[in-house]
Amino acid sequence: MKNYENVTIFNHPLISHKIAILRDEKTSMKEFRELVEEITTLMTYESLKDDVATVEIDVKTPLETCKQQVIKDDSVAIVPILRAGLGMVSGVHILFPLAKVGHIGMYRNEETLEPQTYYCKLPEGIEDKLVLLVDPMLATGGSACDAIDLLKKRGCKNIKFMAIIGAPEGVSRVAEKHPDVKIYVSTLDRCLNENGYILPGLGDAGDRLFGTK
Ligand code: PRP
Ligand code: URA
C-alpha cells in the first residue's frame, strides 16, 4: 500500500500483543470484548495526543497552588459504526468519560458489500467537536466512507477514524476519498477474501463481540 499523509499504522508492541489474542479463534466473547476495550484506550491515547483541547486550572497541592492543563472533556464526541463499533466506546470513555456518543447504524449487503445505513442519531453540537469515529474493522472501506460523508453533511469538520484492523484496499479508499480525515489503524492485514473478510483478520467482529454466532 502506498504511504498516505493522513494514515497512521501503529504497529505498537503492546497493541500487537493484544491483537494476537483477539485474532485467536479460541478467545472467548468476554475476553474479546475486554481486549477491544483495552486496545481502543491505547489507540485513543496515541491518536489524540496532539489535538486534545485543554484548559488551565489552579490545583492546590499540600505545598502550594500551581497551574495545570486538564482536558476539555466535552470537546470530543464518539461515534461508533454499529454494531461492532459499540465495543470500542467504553475504551474511549476511559479517557474521555464525559464524551457524548452518536450512533451510525450500517450493515454490509452480503452480495454487493455495499453499506446500507439504517440509523443515524448524533448529539447536538457535534459539528464543533473533535469526532472520533470508531469501528474495529476497515475492510472495503465502504462503511467508513459513508459514515464520514454523514458526519460531514451534519457539519463536522474535525474527524478522526480509528480501526483496529485494516485491509490495504479499505485504508487506501478512505484515505483517498477523505484526505482531511486522519485515519488510525493498529495493524494492516494482507487483503480481503472473496466475501469481503479481512485476511488473516479475526472473523466477524460484531458476532465475536456480541456472541451472535
Ligand atoms: C462490519 C464492520 C464494519 C464493516 C466493515 O460490519 O464492523 O462496519 O463490516 O466493512 P467495510 O469496510 O467493507 O464496509 P457489518 O456490516 O458486518 O455489520 P455488523 O457490525 O452489524 O455485524
Ligand atoms: N467485518 C468484519 O467484522 N470482519 C471482516 O473481516 C470484515 C468486515
Side-chain angles (χ1 to χ4, degrees):
M1 193 186 77
K2 91 180 201 213
N3 271 338
Y4 294 96
E5 263 184 29
N6 57 330
V7 174
T8 303
I9 313 279
F10 287 132
N11 291 324
H12 190 296
L14 292 176
I15 298 179
S16 170
H17 181 91
K18 290 180 190 297
I19 289 178
I21 310 170
L22 199 65
R23 288 190 196 277
D24 191 330
E25 62 178 2
K26 294 198 203 75
T27 296
S28 70
M29 179 180 71
K30 174 176 179 288
E31 207 181 349
F32 192 92
R33 201 168 53 228
E34 289 165 356
L35 284 160
V36 167
E37 180 186 83
E38 289 165 8
I39 291 167
T40 305
T41 305
L42 293 170
M43 291 184 75
T44 306
Y45 177 81
E46 277 296 306
S47 316
L48 269 66
K49 66 181 175 202
D50 297 325
D51 331 61
V52 180
T54 57
V55 284
E56 192 172 79
I57 60 160
D58 288 326
V59 185
K60 196 167 176 304
T61 78
L63 301 175
E64 61 178 24
T65 299
C66 65
K67 306 256 179 230
Q68 185 72 47
Q69 297 288 330
V70 293
I71 55 168
K72 225 168 142 249
D73 201 73
D74 64 353
S75 61
V76 172
I78 313 164
V79 178
I81 302 178
L82 308 183
R83 287 174 303 164
L86 283 176
M88 297 175 75
V89 174
S90 58
V92 183
H93 266 153
I94 286 172
L95 299 179
F96 294 92
L98 300 182
K100 296 197 171 122
V101 183
H103 296 88
I104 296 181
M106 284 182 174
Y107 67 89
R108 295 195 308 177
N109 177 307
E110 281 177 14
E111 263 132 50
T112 64
L113 299 182
E114 283 305 310
Q116 314 289 317
T117 304
Y118 59 85
Y119 188 75
C120 181
K121 184 95 176 166
L122 301 171
E124 268 176 34
I126 191 168
E127 54 282 355
D128 300 320
K129 297 186 190 293
L130 191 173
V131 180
L132 208 44
L133 179 68
V134 293
D135 191 330
M137 309 304 279
L138 171 50
T140 66
S143 305
C145 280
D146 283 11
I148 295 167
D149 279 339
L150 276 173
L151 291 171
K152 286 185 175 173
K153 268 192 206 126
R154 179 63 187 265
C156 301
K157 295 166 283 296
N158 191 4
I159 304 168
K160 288 175 185 271
F161 175 57
M162 289 197 319
I164 296 178
I165 297 188
E169 300 90 320
V171 176
S172 299
R173 181 168 168 190
V174 186
E176 285 172 20
K177 171 121 198 268
H178 294 288
D180 53 328
V181 172
K182 287 202 179 140
I183 301 159
Y184 300 87
V185 177
S186 278
T187 191
L188 189 66
D189 272 9
R190 198 172 72 250
C191 62
L192 297 176
N193 72 8
E194 61 284 5
N195 300 317
Y197 275 83
I198 300 174
L199 295 176
L202 49 71
D204 188 301
D207 287 343
R208 295 195 64 182
L209 271 167
F210 300 113
T212 33
K213 268 192 196 147

